[in-house]
Amino acid sequence: MKDFKYLAAFSIPLFAFIGMSLKGYWVWATPLFAFVCIPILELIFPVDTDNFSEEEVDSRLKRQLFDWLLYLNLPVVFSLLIYGLFIVTHLSIETYEFVGLIFSTGIVLGVNGINVAHELGHRQATNERFIGKALLLPSFYMHFFIEHNYGHHLHAATPEDPATARYNQSVYSFWITSTVRQYFSAWRIQQKLLKNNNERFLSVKNDMLWYTVLQISYLITVFLIFGKTGFVFALVSGVVGFILLETVNYIEHYGLLRLQTKSGRYERVREMHSWNSNHVIGRIVLYELTRHSDHHYKSSKKYQILDCHDESPQMPYGYPTSMVLAMLPPLWFKIMNKRVPSEMIIRQ
């Protein structure tokens, strides 16, 4: 029965559905649950640093339940998105309700959309990658698949990585630099892949071109079916979704830096180059994303078997709580700067 704990990851879309159904001030239930209730629960529940034995790992890898819990997010995310579009275009609602619905939908797109897409994007099966890319579509972040897998995991914790926040960089600055740099990085990686395969820009293998067409087609379809109001709702909800992702990116590697060897190369990625969190609530809701150090140590490992490493830098709070703290840069710097290894600070 312990395996079913990851059903708690659907608590966020559940609150979004409740808010959409009841309307009124209930539309703000999702933001309150995600960034008030969950942080409080993280403070109440103890951390769990236990790792699985080899037998437990083998057993968990054989259980398809863990995979289906990811796949289920596809119909959940798109059903809520369509429901939200119907409400804002067919019912009479107040402005505060419209804004609340945007934030609620955006949070679902970020947590149950992009976060799950990140996990599936590391899989080798075509159907799993397809689901992952589909979950990135409504947040306009399909390029994340290319940049994350071929860029971020290669350059993490270096100045070359758009998704690594610099020491003393605020989250608001990071939203801009990471979003812009990741997009152009994805195009550079795509061009390199095409060149290596002797393919032209106008090729069926140009995934970035397909992503652009699909995302524009998505917005055009929403406009034609749901009109201007639906278009604005879909557009801003998507932006909220990827801003949520970038906030997670911000806390995952903040201030950490791989040192350069005498040859000028960066040392290999180790457990100390990502912030780890063992707070159980955040671990469950985010499908173990918070054990990020082990994910970078071996990106092919599935979420249900990720380990905790003693040498990994530990966050004092869970990821959801840390995201809230990041919104207050002076407080974030006061808490986190002293935790960044001094030898990494000197090089920045």
Side-chain angles (χ1 to χ4, degrees):
M1 293 298 294
K2 289 183 178 180
D3 298 345
F4 286 94
K5 66 183 180 182
Y6 294 106
L7 283 171
F10 294 101
S11 58
I12 288 179
L14 175 61
F15 271 88
F17 175 76
I18 292 173
M20 290 178 179
S21 300
L22 299 179
K23 292 175 277 297
Y25 289 105
W26 279 99
V27 298
W28 290 94
T30 307
L32 286 173
F33 174 71
F35 298 112
V36 177
C37 295
I38 289 180
I40 291 174
L41 289 173
E42 284 192 317
L43 294 175
I44 296 174
F45 282 80
V47 298
D48 180 8
T49 60
D50 293 339
N51 293 329
F52 298 109
S53 66
E54 290 185 13
E55 293 77 13
E56 289 174 317
V57 168
D58 290 338
S59 175
R60 292 171 77 82
L61 287 175
K62 292 176 182 176
R63 297 177 208 164
Q64 290 191 325
L65 169 68
F66 294 108
D67 295 329
W68 281 101
L69 286 172
L70 297 178
Y71 307 156
L72 184 58
N73 282 279
L74 183 65
V76 168
V77 167
F78 278 91
S79 295
L80 277 172
L81 177 60
I82 294 172
Y83 187 30
L85 283 166
F86 176 81
I87 290 174
V88 299
T89 56
H90 288 77
L91 302 179
S92 178
I93 58 175
E94 300 292 337
T95 301
Y96 78 89
E97 292 176 293
F98 184 72
V99 175
L101 288 171
I102 285 176
F103 275 98
S104 295
T105 305
I107 292 171
V108 172
L109 293 181
V111 175
N112 298 81
I114 301 178
N115 181 48
V116 174
H118 162 258
E119 172 70 21
L120 293 174
H122 283 288
R123 306 288 178 86
Q124 297 302 311
T126 302
N127 64 316
E128 292 183 310
R129 289 190 170 190
F130 174 83
I131 295 173
K133 293 174 184 178
L135 287 169
L136 292 171
L137 172 63
S139 290
F140 323 114
Y141 242 55
M142 297 184 79
H143 63 279
F144 174 80
F145 173 81
I146 292 178
E147 209 292 321
H148 182 82
N149 289 284
Y150 298 100
H152 176 62
H153 274 267
L154 178 65
H155 300 296
T158 73
E160 285 75 20
D161 178 37
T164 295
R166 302 187 310 273
Y167 183 79
N168 268 342
Q169 180 180 18
S170 74
V171 70
Y172 304 107
S173 166
F174 180 78
W175 285 349
I176 298 172
T177 59
S178 182
T179 301
V180 174
R181 290 181 63 199
Q182 281 196 74
Y183 182 74
F184 286 106
S185 174
W187 271 110
R188 287 193 296 270
I189 293 170
Q190 179 65 84
Q191 290 173 335
K192 185 177 180 179
L193 291 172
L194 290 172
K195 184 178 180 181
N196 291 342
N197 290 283
N198 295 316
E199 297 284 349
R200 296 183 178 181
F201 179 82
L202 293 176
S203 166
V204 292
K205 293 186 177 181
N206 188 339
D207 289 338
M208 283 296 291
L209 194 58
W210 279 112
Y211 298 159
T212 302
V213 171
L214 287 169
Q215 289 169 167
I216 292 176
S217 298
Y218 160 69
L219 283 175
I220 291 175
T221 301
V222 169
F223 179 77
L224 293 176
I225 297 175
F226 297 100
K228 186 185 299 183
T229 301
F231 178 86
V232 172
F233 176 81
L235 179 65
V236 183
S237 295
V239 172
V240 171
F242 76 70
I243 287 295
L244 199 64
L245 162 73
E246 293 301 349
T247 306
V248 173
N249 278 338
Y250 176 80
I251 67 175
E252 285 175 338
H253 301 279
Y254 171 78
L256 301 179
L257 186 69
R258 286 152 57 192
L259 305 181
Q260 288 179 297
T261 62
K262 292 181 179 179
S263 65
R265 292 176 176 269
Y266 289 104
E267 60 183 326
R268 68 179 182 84
V269 177
R270 292 186 288 158
E271 299 91 328
M272 63 184 295
H273 296 125
S274 307
W275 289 102
N276 190 76
S277 169
N278 291 301
H279 293 75
V280 293
I281 302 300
R283 284 178 55 188
I284 294 171
V285 172
L286 295 174
Y287 294 102
E288 302 292 352
L289 179 70
T290 65
R291 285 196 162 181
H292 206 63
S293 301
D294 195 36
H295 169 68
H296 269 274
Y297 185 64
K298 192 172 183 180
S299 60
S300 61
K301 290 181 70 171
K302 292 186 175 182
Y303 74 95
Q304 67 266 29
I305 60 169
L306 289 174
D307 289 326
C308 167
H309 298 275
D310 293 334
E311 57 268 45
S312 300
Q314 301 296 320
M315 304 200 80
Y317 307 104
Y319 270 32
T321 305
S322 298
M323 292 169 69
V324 175
L325 293 176
M327 301 295 177
L328 304 169
L331 181 58
W332 171 262
F333 296 148
K334 182 177 180 180
I335 293 173
M336 293 302 298
N337 281 4
K338 60 187 177 184
R339 295 174 177 268
V340 179
S342 57
E343 65 271 18
M344 295 184 182
I345 299 175
I346 295 173
R347 299 296 183 94
Q348 300 189 51

